[in-house]
Amino acid sequence: MLLTQRITQHAHDLGFQRVGFAPADPLPHGDAFREWLDLGFEGEMRWLERTRHIRDRPEHLLEGARTLVAVAVSYKTEDGTAQPGRIARYAQGFDYHRVMEHKLDALGDFIRDDLGLDARTRAAVDRLPLLERDVAWVAGIGWYGKNTLLLTRDLGSFLFLGELLVDADLHAPTPQPHRNFCGSCTACLDACPTQAFTAPYRLDARRCIATLTIENRGPIPRELRHAVGHWLFGCDICQDVCPWNRKAPNTKEFAYLGRPEIQALSADRVLTLSDKDLDHLLYLSPIRRPQRAGLARNAAVVLGNTGDRRWVPLLSSRLDEEPDPMVRGHIAWALGALGGPDAASSLLRRADQEEDPQALDEIRQALLCANSMTS
Ligand code: SF4
Ligand code: SF4
C-alpha cells in the first residue's frame, strides 16, 4: 500500500470523509485574495489584511513543509434551533477547531509512529493564516461554488476543512483541481438577503450576516438590520438553497450534532440569561466568539424583526438594565421597529436618562419609528 493510501485510510478511521494531498507550494489564488482585500471586502476581519502576504505560503507555517494533507468532514444537521433566533448549523454542535485539531495531531502521530517517517507535522484548522479552501481545491476535494464556499457533489458545502502540514515528501500523485459543477445555477446569489455577493465567487463580507453577527464587534449598520431577519448567530441561506446540499447526508460525527441546550438558545433567552449562566451554556461552543455583548446585540435585532409586540415589555426592561451602550442602542432600535405606544413611552423615558451619545442617537431615531407606528 502506498504511503498516501495508508494515511487516507487512517484519516477515514479518524472520521474525515474526504482526504487529498497537495505539494506545499504557493497556493494559486493568493493574488485573487489580495485583490479582494484591496477592495476592503474583509470588513472587520482585519487579521486577514495583516496576514495578506503569507496566507498563500504554507512554508510560513512549518519550516521545510513539503506536503499538505487536506481533509474535510460534513457538519450538516437538521436545523433544530428555537425561535426566535436561528443559529448557523456549524455552531449548533461542539467547537470544531478543537475536535479537528486533535484528530489531525493524531494523524501526525500515525505518520511518525506507525509509518515510521521522521517528519514534523502541524495541524491547521481555521486558526492559522492559510487559504484553506484553496488547499482543499488544489488537493482535488471540491470546487469553489459561486457562494465562495468549497462544494462537493456528494457531501455538499456544509464542510469543516482542515490541513496537516508535513515536512516530508509523501510521494502523492499530482492532484487535479476539481471540475466546477455550478453550471448556470445562481440560487445562492439570488437568495442572499443582504445582497452580499457583488458577483459570482465574490463576497463583500461587510454585508454578510455571518460576519455582521459573529466577527463584527460594533453596531450592525442600521440599513442592514431588517435583512438580518431571525439570524442570532451566522447565516446558512446561501448554503440551504444550494441544490448540492439538498441531497447531502447528515453528519455522523457526534461532536457536530446539534446540542439541545444550544438549539434552545432563542433571542429572548440571550437577553434574559445572566452572564454566568450564558457562559456556562456556551461551554465549548463556537457561539462564544462574538462575546455576550455581540450576542445580545444580535438578539435585540432578531426580536425587532419578529414584528411581534409581545416582546416590547422584555425589551423595555432590558433597555433600562443593559450595561453596554451599543447593546442598549440595538434594543432601542428593536423597540422602534416593533413600534406602538408602549415601545414609544419606554424609549421616551430612557431618552431622559441616557448619557451615551450613540445610544441616545439610536433612541431618538427609534422614537421617530415607534411614533410613526403608534396604532
Ligand atoms: Fe448572504 Fe447569508 Fe450567504 Fe452571508 S451567509 S452571503 S448573508 S446568504
Ligand atoms: Fe453553485 Fe448554485 Fe450551489 Fe450557488 S447554489 S454554489 S451557484 S450550485
Side-chain angles (χ1 to χ4, degrees), residues 143 145-147 151 181-183 185-189 238 241-244:
W143 75 94
K146 288 179 190 170
N147 60 6
L151 193 46
F181 285 96
C182 279
C185 175
T186 57
C188 53
L189 311 180
C238 59
V241 299
C242 179
W244 295 104

Side-chain angles (χ1 to χ4, degrees), residues 90-322:
Y90 89 86
Q92 292 180 26
F94 286 96
D95 189 337
Y96 64 97
H97 299 94
R98 293 175 190 230
V99 178
M100 289 194 51
E101 283 165 0
H102 184 70
K103 291 187 179 207
L104 284 167
D105 285 340
L107 189 61
D109 289 342
F110 173 80
I111 289 172
R112 277 180 294 276
D113 302 342
D114 293 63
L115 300 183
L117 282 187
D118 181 18
R120 288 180 309 134
T121 59
R122 187 172 187 195
V125 183
D126 199 27
R127 302 200 250 217
L128 294 184
L130 183 63
L131 296 181
E132 296 196 290
R133 274 170 279 178
D134 227 19
V135 176
W137 182 75
V138 173
I141 287 184
W143 75 94
Y144 280 100
K146 288 179 190 170
N147 60 6
T148 76
L149 300 173
L150 193 93
L151 193 46
T152 62
R153 291 180 84 181
D154 46 356
L155 297 176
S157 66
F158 289 109
L159 296 172
F160 291 135
L161 304 177
E163 304 77 33
L164 190 71
L165 295 104
V166 187
D167 71 348
D169 187 353
L170 301 178
H171 306 293
T174 308
Q176 292 297 315
H178 204 293
R179 189 178 144 202
N180 187 310
F181 285 96
C182 279
S184 58
C185 175
T186 57
C188 53
L189 311 180
D190 301 337
C192 176
T194 57
Q195 288 89 47
F197 296 108
T198 60
Y201 310 104
R202 182 154 276 185
L203 174 75
D204 182 349
R206 295 170 302 183
R207 297 185 68 84
C208 175
I209 294 168
T211 316
L212 292 171
T213 58
I214 300 172
E215 305 299 347
N216 172 30
R217 295 286 170 269
I220 295 175
R222 276 199 196 111
E223 67 276 15
L224 293 176
R225 288 180 196 167
H226 282 300
V228 167
H230 287 193
W231 288 101
L232 179 60
F233 183 94
C235 169
D236 280 338
I237 293 174
C238 59
Q239 298 199 77
D240 281 339
V241 299
C242 179
W244 295 104
N245 280 328
R246 243 174 264 144
K247 52 189 176 187
N250 285 344
T251 187
K252 293 190 177 61
E253 172 71 62
F254 169 78
Y256 310 142
L257 298 176
R259 290 163 60 183
E261 73 278 19
I262 297 293
Q263 293 179 326
L265 186 64
S266 53
D268 52 302
R269 283 199 79 212
V270 168
L271 286 176
T272 48
L273 280 171
S274 70
D275 290 4
K276 192 170 153 202
D277 287 346
L278 190 63
D279 191 53
H280 284 163
L281 186 84
L282 298 182
Y283 178 65
L284 293 181
S285 164
I287 302 177
R288 301 180 80 82
R289 182 142 179 95
Q291 302 170 2
R292 188 207 69 90
L295 210 50
R297 168 202 64 195
N298 302 345
V301 171
V302 168
L303 292 185
N305 283 333
T306 59
D308 186 344
R309 287 183 180 166
R310 282 177 297 178
W311 295 118
V312 167
L314 169 65
L315 288 164
S316 298
S317 75
R318 292 310 306 157
L319 186 63
D320 289 330
E321 291 158 21
E322 170 59 46

